[in-house]
């Protein structure tokens, strides 16, 4: 009897283990198991805009949303993007966000010429289209890059560089990029409407600023300036004391972490106070405290003395 009872308990344990494995969370699946990115209908999640968050036990349509066709209802577009911004992402570089800092994305199955959205139904639940109305461009995004496309349900969707723009329901806070690379078809948007891709960290790189063209920026994407009262040879520093409260000496750069600029133009100089400062073509360069995001050029032409720097190391005298 004891032997039979032990055998029965062992069989029950095996059955229980099998059931547990079959119902286990996708977070604990073994290597090689394909997972899908499920999103519940709008209003059931905790996203700041009221979009759905992750669900379970539901099929998907390959977009990262629920399976099923177009319901014929208007997509839950949410609020206007407001004044867009450029956010310097540690991996992707400058990417477009809305006024609340939420990342905007593009979809490879859409088209830009002519603009057309191919994301509707459950796809638009996972990726709510961004309304065109009320959107405006910051300094780092050309006004001409913004446009709109009329969706099948008659609503107008924001386009950037011709590409329809979306938010992602699983992004819950400013700076999230959980939608990057989903399904191999979704990518954060750059200022020109291109796909953001992983980049190596840089200390100095080139940014295409709509009004000034190609300018040098630091590792945080902030514009670098030079000062007419400095000099390159002999070395002289005209910005000292209170001036340094507004114009911060740029940190020295590693020549192996440059993008778009010749290494020979990059050097380091030592200020009279002992601070080591980045120099471009032997000119000390600074960032401006009045610039708040990549692409800002609020320091350009200040007092007729401060100017952004071209990728060739020359000052750019164009005044916006």
């Amino acid at each position: 009897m004891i032997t039979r009872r032990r055998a029965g308990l062992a069989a029950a344990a095996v059955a229980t283990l099998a059931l547990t494995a079959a119902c286990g969370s996708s977070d604990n699946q073994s290597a090689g198991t394909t997972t899908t990115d499920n999103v519940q209908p709008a209003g059931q999640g905790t996203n700041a805009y009221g979009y759905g968050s992750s669900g379970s036990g539901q099929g998907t349509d390959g977009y990262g949303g629920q399976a099923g066709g177009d319901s014929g209802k208007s997509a839950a577009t949410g609020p206007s993007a407001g004044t867009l911004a450029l956010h310097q992402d540690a991996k992707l570089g400058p990417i477009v966000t809305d006024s609340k800092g939420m990342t905007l994305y593009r979809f490879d199955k859409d088209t830009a010429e002519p603009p057309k959205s191919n994301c509707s139904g459950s796809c638009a639940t996972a990726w709510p289209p961004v309304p065109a109305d009320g959107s405006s461009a910051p300094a780092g995004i050309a006004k001409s890059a913004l446009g709109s496309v009329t969706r099948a349900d008659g609503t107008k969707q924001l386009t950037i560089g011709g590409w329809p723009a979306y938010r992602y329901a699983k992004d819950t806070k400013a700076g999230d990029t959980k939608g990057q690379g989903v399904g191999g078809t979704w990518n954060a948007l750059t200022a020109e409407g291109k796909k953001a891709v992983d980049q190596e960290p840089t200390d100095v790189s080139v940014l295409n600023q709509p009004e000034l063209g190609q300018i040098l920026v630091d590792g945080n994407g902030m514009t670098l300036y030079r000062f007419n009262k400095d000099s390159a040879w002999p070395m002289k520093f005209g910005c000292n004391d209170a001036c340094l409260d507004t114009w911060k000496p740029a940190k020295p750069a590693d020549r192996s972490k440059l993008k778009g600029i010749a290494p020979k133009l990059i050097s380091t100089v030592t200020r009279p106070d002992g601070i080591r400062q980045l120099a471009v073509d032997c000119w000390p360069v600074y960032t401006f405290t009045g610039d708040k995001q990549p692409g800002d050029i609020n320091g350009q032409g200040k007092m007729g003395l401060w100017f952004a720097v071209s990728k060739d190391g020359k000052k750019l005298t164009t005044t916006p």
Side-chain angles (χ1 to χ4, degrees), residues 227-229 299-307 315 317 319:
F227 185 37
N228 277 2
K229 290 188 176 182
Q300 179 68 3
K302 280 284 186 182
M303 300 176 286
L305 299 171
W306 293 92
F307 299 95
K315 70 177 180 182
T317 57
T319 302

Side-chain angles (χ1 to χ4, degrees), residues 62 74 78 154 176 193 235 264 309-310:
S74 297
D176 275 357
M235 182 64 64
K264 67 180 181 180
V309 184
S310 74

Side-chain angles (χ1 to χ4, degrees), residues 61 147 156 172 218 220 238 253 273 288 302 306 308:
D61 58 5
K156 289 189 178 295
T172 57
D218 69 4
N220 294 317
D273 55 11
F288 179 47
K302 280 284 186 182
W306 293 92

